[in-house]
Amino acid sequence: MTLLLSLEIMNGRYGESPCTILQAEYLNKPLKASIQIPNFKAMKHPILRIAALLCLAPFVLEAQQANVNLDYNPHKNTEGLTPFSAPLNSPEVHDDRTVTFRLNAPHAQTVALNPGAIHTVLELGREPLNFSKGADGIWTLTIGPLPPDIYAYHLRVDDVQMADPNNTYAAFTAMPPYSQLVVHGNEAAYYDARPVPHGRITRHIYTSQVTQGERELYVYTPPGYNADNKYPVLYLVGGSGELPSNWVYDGRVNFIMDNLLAEGKAEPMIIAIPNNQVIHRNHPQHAELTFDIFEKELRDHVVPLVDQSYSTIASPDGRALSGLSMGGRHSMFIGFRSLDLFANFGILSAGDTEPETSLKHFLNDPKVNEKVDYLFVGQGTKEAAGFFNLRCQALVDALEKHGIEHDYYIGGAGGHDWGTWRHLLYHRFLPNLWKTK
């Protein structure tokens, strides 16, 4: 009330807006695109200082990688500022959705953009894209336009793969880090933070007798979570290079779920994200050991912890198991033999080329359609056109041959990458969970 009253008095005295007054009194000139910072020491009254900050707010909240808000367009250059501790703006996303990468490396012999998700969506093949070197030693590359999405990428400098040293958006994963490029559209996307009610992410640390150490588990609870109600639980796992946090920071599953709930397109649910790295990925017996170990981890620790900590529907029809790539195979090989625990499944970008052998007990169960409520199989458009399709299509063919009810979907503009997995969650899998029977 005091602040509002003071601003009203100021407005009445000068006949102008409070921000105009502050400009006149303390800047002696109007605010322009290049911001003039007020002389706060000259403002003896604290109300004036607060008002000055409020007037500056529209100019400082959106900038190149400002990391102030959860902006949907963090790589748009709005102020000509460089990211903190970086010498250059890179990457810079322009309004036409073209992207400019920059690297200050005057002594480098070659700089290139490594093949990855960007190459896939632009159909650029598997060869690196070379930068051009300027007389000032700065290397640049402009590509696109790109569809709005989030793209993982690496640079290659003199044949050394590296994250972009100018980009503050990087992924912390179970493999060496990569940078993230956010190509924005005209508004916040389905995977962005929007002004809607938000759920809560909780990180649990527990002791595992299976892996003999301390492990982590992330849990999403929906907006308005009430322990007096019972909620179904989706157990969501990553691929060979993922940690549980990647479903939050790369997959944006919490924002996707928030937005679906706000749109009335999904049922309120708990999402538990365990760590499905249970043996070193390069262990020579990884393929033989990982499924049994992770199943024991789920049964002995993960599911009991979630059921004890949250108000859950503790029965198969209240549980789903889903994952991408390696996590899709975990969901398939563990989930299909654990129908006492799970009745819903999401197989993302995964399958098996010999399902008649590896899944024979599931495929030949005469009551499988009674035991399974929802079985989703999905992959990206570019995956379906390449070698990743072999395993996925073989699984779908086996399900059809044995008359097992399932939902098969191909969508998105990407390949075996996060753009596909976000798309599958939002456009098909999450909206259909606990709605089909």
Side-chain angles (χ1 to χ4, degrees):
M1 178 64 73
T2 303
L3 173 59
L4 293 176
L5 180 60
S6 298
L7 293 179
E8 287 174 0
I9 292 172
M10 291 165 61
N11 194 32
R13 176 181 172 185
Y14 286 88
E16 298 180 90
S17 73
C19 289
T20 303
I21 298 167
L22 291 168
Q23 294 164 21
E25 293 291 313
Y26 298 100
L27 297 179
N28 296 318
K29 61 177 70 175
L31 281 173
K32 297 181 179 179
S34 71
I35 301 170
Q36 304 291 323
I37 303 301
N39 182 355
F40 288 99
K41 291 184 178 180
M43 299 179 183
K44 297 181 179 180
H45 199 289
I47 293 298
L48 292 175
R49 297 174 187 171
I50 295 172
L53 290 172
L54 292 174
C55 291
L56 282 174
F59 298 93
V60 301
L61 293 185
E62 291 185 1
Q64 179 85 347
Q65 301 181 50
N67 291 296
V68 175
N69 292 326
L70 296 173
D71 295 319
Y72 75 94
N73 58 349
H75 288 126
K76 179 177 180 178
N77 187 358
T78 58
E79 290 190 71
L81 302 176
T82 56
F84 179 69
S85 82
L88 296 169
N89 279 341
S90 180
E92 180 178 349
V93 177
H94 310 289
D95 286 335
D96 62 358
R97 302 199 313 276
T98 58
V99 181
T100 299
F101 299 91
R102 301 180 181 92
L103 183 70
N104 186 9
H107 302 298
Q109 299 301 307
T110 60
V111 176
L113 178 69
N114 252 13
I118 296 172
H119 281 63
T120 299
V121 76
L122 293 179
E123 299 183 343
L124 297 175
R126 299 298 301 168
E127 293 299 318
L129 291 179
N130 291 321
F131 284 48
S132 298
K133 185 179 182 181
D136 55 1
I138 296 176
W139 298 76
T140 61
L141 171 68
T142 298
I143 60 170
L146 282 159
D149 212 330
I150 307 171
Y151 301 89
Y153 72 95
H154 287 103
L155 302 183
R156 180 166 290 274
V157 180
D158 292 343
D159 292 328
V160 177
Q161 178 175 286
M162 59 187 293
D164 189 337
N166 300 302
N167 190 353
T168 62
Y169 285 73
F172 174 76
T173 72
M175 54 188 174
Y178 50 81
S179 295
Q180 291 179 320
L181 165 68
V182 182
V183 178
H184 59 272
N186 296 325
E187 60 183 359
Y190 67 87
Y191 48 75
D192 285 317
R194 292 172 171 172
V196 300
H198 295 291
R200 175 178 295 181
I201 293 285
T202 303
R203 186 190 188 207
H204 294 264
I205 307 297
Y206 66 94
T207 302
S208 170
Q209 300 304 321
V210 176
T211 63
Q212 296 295 304
E214 305 307 304
R215 289 172 59 79
E216 64 177 352
L217 166 73
Y218 285 73
V219 177
Y220 166 89
T221 48
Y225 171 81
N226 185 341
D228 292 335
N229 300 328
K230 296 290 185 180
Y231 296 84
V233 183
L234 165 62
Y235 291 84
L236 188 63
V237 294
S240 294
E242 275 73 58
L243 297 172
S245 56
N246 291 119
W247 264 119
V248 176
Y249 294 110
D250 295 69
R252 305 282 188 93
V253 65
N254 54 318
F255 295 149
I256 289 174
M257 197 66 222
D258 290 342
N259 294 331
L260 283 171
L261 290 171
E263 295 162 0
K265 295 179 179 179
E267 296 296 317
M269 68 184 78
I270 295 168
I271 302 177
I273 313 173
N275 182 6
N276 59 328
Q277 306 289 348
V278 291
I279 185 173
H280 198 294
R281 188 60 184 84
N282 287 337
H283 191 286
Q285 294 180 284
H286 179 275
E288 299 96 89
L289 299 175
T290 183
F291 302 110
D292 290 343
I293 297 174
F294 188 50
E295 180 179 354
K296 187 169 178 57
E297 181 75 5
L298 284 171
R299 289 182 177 276
D300 291 2
H301 295 296
V302 175
V303 173
L305 187 156
V306 172
D307 283 344
Q308 291 166 13
S309 303
Y310 298 92
S311 182
T312 66
I313 300 173
S315 59
D317 60 341
R319 297 194 190 103
L321 181 60
S322 178
L324 65 91
S325 194
M326 181 184 79
R329 288 170 68 80
H330 276 141
S331 301
M332 182 176 61
F333 290 131
I334 296 171
F336 289 0
R337 70 189 188 193
S338 301
L339 299 183
D340 61 316
L341 278 183
F342 306 102
N344 302 273
F345 303 96
I347 314 301
L348 314 180
S349 303
D352 192 69
T353 56
E354 298 181 358
E356 295 292 348
T357 300
S358 61
L359 299 172
K360 61 182 179 181
H361 295 297
F362 178 79
L363 295 174
N364 293 291
D365 184 343
K367 296 185 178 181
V368 68
N369 283 328
E370 299 174 22
K371 298 175 183 179
V372 174
D373 290 339
Y374 180 51
L375 170 52
F376 172 76
V377 182
Q379 62 176 325
T381 302
K382 298 295 172 57
E383 286 183 297
F387 71 92
F388 281 109
N389 181 60
L390 295 176
R391 295 190 301 187
C392 191
Q393 189 62 54
L395 171 62
V396 171
D397 289 345
L399 294 173
E400 292 178 349
K401 175 183 175 181
H402 289 268
I404 297 175
E405 297 172 5
H406 64 283
D407 178 19
Y408 181 43
Y409 173 76
I410 299 172
H416 200 72
D417 53 59
W418 280 108
T420 288
W421 303 319
R422 287 187 295 266
H423 179 97
L424 295 179
L425 285 194
Y426 177 81
H427 288 281
R428 196 67 163 229
F429 180 54
L430 291 178
N432 285 339
L433 263 180
W434 294 293
K435 283 191 173 183
T436 57
K437 285 190 178 180

